[in-house]
Amino acid sequence: MSKDWMRYGWLALALLGAVLLAWQGTITPKPAPATSPADAFSAERALRDIAVIAREPHPVASPANAKVRDYLLGRMTQLGLSPTVQETDALSFSPDYPQWLAGAHVQNLIGILPGKDRTAPAIVLMSHYDSAPGSPGAADDATGVAASLEVIRALGAKGAPARDVIVLITDGEEWGLSGAEPYFGQHPLAKRTGLIINMEARGGGGRANMFETGRDNGDLIARYRTSAKGPISSALAVFLYEKMPNDTDFSVPKRMGMTGLNFAFIGRQFDYHSPTSTIANLDPGSVQSMGEQVLAATAEFASAQPLPGKAPSAVYSQTFGDHILAYPPIVGWLLLALAGGLLILAGRRARAAGERLRWQDGLRGAAIALATTLLAALLLHVARRWTGVGFGFLEQRPLLAAWPAWETAIFVIGTATALIGAQLAGRAVRRRWLTPLLCVLIGGLSSLAGGFDPVGLGLGVVAGLLFLARRAALPRNAAWAGVLCLGLVLATALQVFAAQTAFLVAWPLTLAALGAAVSRWGADTRVTAVLAALAAIVCGWLGAYVHLTAQGLDFPALLGLFALLALMVLWPLAQPDGERAKADGLVLAGLWAAVVLAALAVITATVAPWTPRYPQADSVMHVTDSHAGHAWMVIQDGGEPGVSILKQTAPSPHSKAAVKASLPPLFDQPVSLTSTPGAPVALPTFASRIEPDGRVTMVLTPPPGARLARLNIRLGAAVAEVVVQGQRTAWLGKPGEVHRLRWAGSGQPLTISFRPVKADAGQAEVDFGTVLEAWPPAAARPRPSADHSMAWNLSGSTGVTGKAIVRW
């Protein structure tokens, strides 16, 4: 057997080991039974609460949410928390989006597990009990609420903690963080906050990920890592989340300078905010993972004296098991120095053995590695586009329904492409133009799916130009040296500009450099097993990051970076010797076949993904335009793959073809509108008046049972002292622009008032609307066009819109 094939055997073992390590790092723990020790977290005990909380959809200000509130007050009383209710009208306004205002009538639930020192800063254990409309919310956030209760029970079994633990179960999180805003802004207990532990979910499975902290988290992470149990957490997640527009309840106290830990699991994303988010579809292991991690963190900080202080944010990541490696950012430079030193040692050992490394070959090796990275990004990008699945929360649902096929394709395409690059580097070059041409053709193919694609074409062209660096078979040692030098440059750039993220490159680089030093750039075949072990460790560790990144970001081209990171350790096992490369055509053909078959598999899986477990989303409303006297059948995102087109059970001969148009304020973006016969519906009332002191007051009164109200207001003149539901706000700050208010209440009137800045005459154009979550009894119900479908969000509701001009 040739040395190449022996090396391929070690490569296969390394990849198998990596798969096992990555799998072990992503599976959820076994749910603990109700018979577990009293001071341990039991998913089975928590699931009993989840079954009650997630019995039906319970959005903020709904009767169903009131039932959940009453149940939770009883459970908190059983646990000795002496619960209270903070009931208020809450407003959520952000200076970043001054035209938007969200508000709701919320009822936060607050209890306290007393500690030994009642004056010490308290731990706040936070979750939210409202669900998204139409979703039972078994994961988001019934799991967080139930975990809070089970964590408190387990803590109580350990004895009184050193400090108070405040249980905060907010209302209205799904409606603009409406419960967290008044608690941290108004409640007297908020001043006692020492550290917050928040629980969230963005799916129905997977291990809990601690993805966000307060700023300057160095001391916090140093303490967290000592007690972490099966953690999934890294400085990369914290860094990226801070750059994203996403928010949770933790965002509110974080903006106020408070610190804490934010946990969530994000697997099974098909169930996020979906009617399928039921206890039957929830992974009990995810409940156990969340509970174990939160219990460990809460127990640690509830008994800590003092709580963590401010320190430069740590560079850290989970490794394997319960271990987290963390260090200050400055240590990153020492790690890079170590990697550079090992590379120098590898070069000296090779020179002492009479082995030659030409810098030109190293430069070509780096170019091929970079080209391979871009090729991996290109292939993943093209495969995603060729599924025909749109990009967006609803549009990507066919892909989420076929997630196992898509994630498998990601790993197969990424790994095979990395190996293709190493194979090409060691093969004799006969038709130098062939690989570059193939890259450009693949980039062009991307434009055949969904229209012209400059990203795909650009990736193909640049990758092709870099592959032109192939002029002859490269020596393995020099090519690998070029790959690692490229890694050193990338890690140094990250250390300079984003030190918290540099570990993602620096750690694989350092282990690869160690392998290079031990093996003299792969020339010493006696230590090939060591190279295989390092490859398994690095790729297994990277596998968990690919898994999380693929779930968290629908941007597959970004995953091409992981091909480069894997190449650092796979290169000496994957590149053939130049003189034997002719015998390896079968290997290269097999890798290309794996790429094609993986892409075809996921494309096929998304053609008809709908099943009883993964039904298609139907989103249809009956809307009466009271101003124009028209009734409409409204279909949101009609025509997109993730949302089915609904058909009327009894079409009217007077119905017209669907048109795309907006219907403010309920639908500010174009939706599919089909004229439909009118039906008797209860109408909201809108009134305005000029107060004796000159203030202008507007009042929108929803019809009985309508939970939601919306207003779009365009001012013709400047106003000041704006008050909404009795609270001052900076909203309505700029004349001429449309300002939008979204309100969730229990049917009470929505009141807005302001004072005109000038005494001159002025006016405001008002679009108002309300939503009743029931279909008009006299209207024909539509039927779904798909055999497997579900009502999404507010589907099946009755909307009413109207217009008014307010003059003063």
Side-chain angles (χ1 to χ4, degrees), residues 113 151-161:
L113 178 66
V151 165
I152 286 296
R153 187 209 55 76
L155 278 178
K158 297 174 183 286

Side-chain angles (χ1 to χ4, degrees), residues 183-567:
Y183 176 81
F184 288 102
Q186 302 170 17
H187 201 283
L189 279 178
K191 298 178 181 179
R192 295 192 52 209
T193 302
L195 186 141
I196 301 151
I197 298 176
N198 187 52
M199 284 163 283
E200 262 293 350
R202 192 183 148 189
R207 283 171 61 180
N209 180 5
M210 200 287 284
F211 65 97
E212 185 183 20
T213 69
R215 292 180 174 83
D216 300 320
N217 66 19
D219 193 19
L220 176 67
I221 294 301
R223 302 273 286 278
Y224 162 68
R225 65 184 291 270
T226 62
S227 60
K229 186 172 177 61
I232 294 288
S233 185
S234 73
L236 178 66
V238 173
F239 178 86
L240 291 178
Y241 193 80
E242 286 186 347
K243 310 301 179 186
M244 297 170 67
N246 306 46
D247 277 319
T248 69
D249 274 341
F250 182 68
S251 303
V252 175
K254 182 175 179 177
R255 286 196 295 264
M256 299 177 179
M258 301 181 192
T259 191
L261 307 172
N262 204 356
F263 292 86
F265 50 80
I266 63 173
R268 301 187 184 181
Q269 285 193 37
F270 184 88
D271 299 324
Y272 180 53
H273 286 183
S274 169
T276 59
S277 183
T278 63
I279 192 169
N281 293 330
L282 176 65
D283 181 2
S286 299
V287 181
Q288 187 68 35
S289 175
M290 176 75 80
E292 286 181 349
Q293 293 195 48
V294 171
L295 175 58
T298 306
E300 165 67 21
F301 293 117
S303 61
Q305 292 289 354
L307 288 173
K310 299 285 187 178
S313 290
V315 177
Y316 74 98
S317 171
Q318 80 278 351
T319 55
F320 300 102
D322 292 340
H323 183 253
I324 290 177
L325 178 60
Y327 50 80
I330 191 67
V331 176
W333 289 110
L334 300 179
L335 190 62
L336 292 180
L338 174 61
L342 288 170
L343 295 180
I344 293 172
L345 176 61
R348 289 185 174 180
R349 291 197 66 211
R351 181 176 297 180
E355 297 157 5
R356 185 184 179 191
L357 278 78
R358 299 175 66 247
W359 67 267
Q360 296 93 334
D361 291 334
L363 192 60
R364 292 191 181 98
I368 293 174
L370 185 55
T372 303
T373 303
L374 296 177
L375 178 60
L378 172 63
L379 291 171
L380 291 168
H381 176 75
V382 171
R384 174 65 175 84
R385 283 178 60 89
W386 270 82
T387 62
V389 176
F391 290 83
F393 178 54
L394 280 176
E395 292 85 346
Q396 68 170 338
R397 295 192 64 75
L399 198 66
L400 298 179
W403 185 258
W406 173 231
E407 187 168 13
T408 300
I410 287 173
F411 277 98
V412 171
I413 292 172
T415 303
T417 307
L419 300 181
I420 286 171
Q423 281 282 312
L424 290 174
R427 292 175 61 83
V429 180
R430 293 183 178 178
R431 299 177 180 86
R432 188 183 174 201
W433 50 267
L434 184 59
T435 301
L437 178 61
L438 181 61
C439 291
V440 175
L441 289 175
I442 294 172
L445 279 175
S446 184
S447 294
L448 298 181
F452 177 64
D453 177 26
V455 174
L457 186 59
L459 286 171
V461 170
V462 177
L465 290 174
L466 288 169
F467 271 122
L468 287 174
R470 290 182 63 228
R471 296 183 179 180
L474 294 177
R476 186 187 306 111
N477 55 2
W480 189 22
V483 175
L484 296 191
C485 287
L486 174 63
L488 183 60
V489 171
L490 177 59
T492 302
L494 288 174
Q495 182 67 29
V496 172
F497 297 106
Q500 280 182 272
T501 68
F503 74 92
L504 188 66
V505 181
W507 292 8
L509 171 66
T510 303
L511 289 180
L514 175 63
V518 169
S519 67
R520 299 196 323 271
W521 296 111
D524 190 346
T525 57
R526 295 172 300 176
V527 294
T528 305
V530 174
L531 297 179
L534 291 174
I537 292 170
V538 169
C539 293
W541 178 73
L542 290 174
Y545 276 94
V546 174
H547 174 72
L548 291 170
T549 305
Q551 289 179 328
L553 297 171
D554 189 15
F555 185 24
L558 181 65
L559 300 174
L561 171 65
F562 291 96
L564 174 61
L565 303 182
L567 273 176

Side-chain angles (χ1 to χ4, degrees), residues 75-76 133 172 215 277 287 415 469 543 616 670 697 714 717 739 761 777 797:
R75 288 287 289 118
M76 295 170 76
R215 292 180 174 83
S277 183
V287 181
T415 303
Q616 189 173 16
T697 299
R714 185 193 298 272
H739 293 76
S797 297

Side-chain angles (χ1 to χ4, degrees), residues 49-125:
D49 288 321
I50 295 173
V52 177
I53 299 169
R55 186 171 292 160
E56 60 182 328
H58 48 283
V60 60
S62 67
N65 209 35
K67 295 178 184 178
V68 174
R69 175 205 62 204
D70 293 343
Y71 171 78
L72 292 175
L73 288 172
R75 288 287 289 118
M76 295 170 76
T77 300
Q78 291 175 3
L79 292 168
L81 301 179
S82 303
T84 59
V85 179
Q86 181 193 22
E87 184 170 2
T88 185
D89 287 339
L91 300 179
S92 299
F93 174 80
S94 170
D96 296 331
Y97 304 96
Q99 287 79 35
W100 284 87
L101 182 66
H105 185 77
V106 298
Q107 300 183 62
N108 293 327
L109 312 182
I110 304 153
I112 301 177
L113 178 66
K116 296 175 182 176
D117 184 355
R118 303 302 307 277
T119 63
I123 304 299
V124 177
L125 195 58

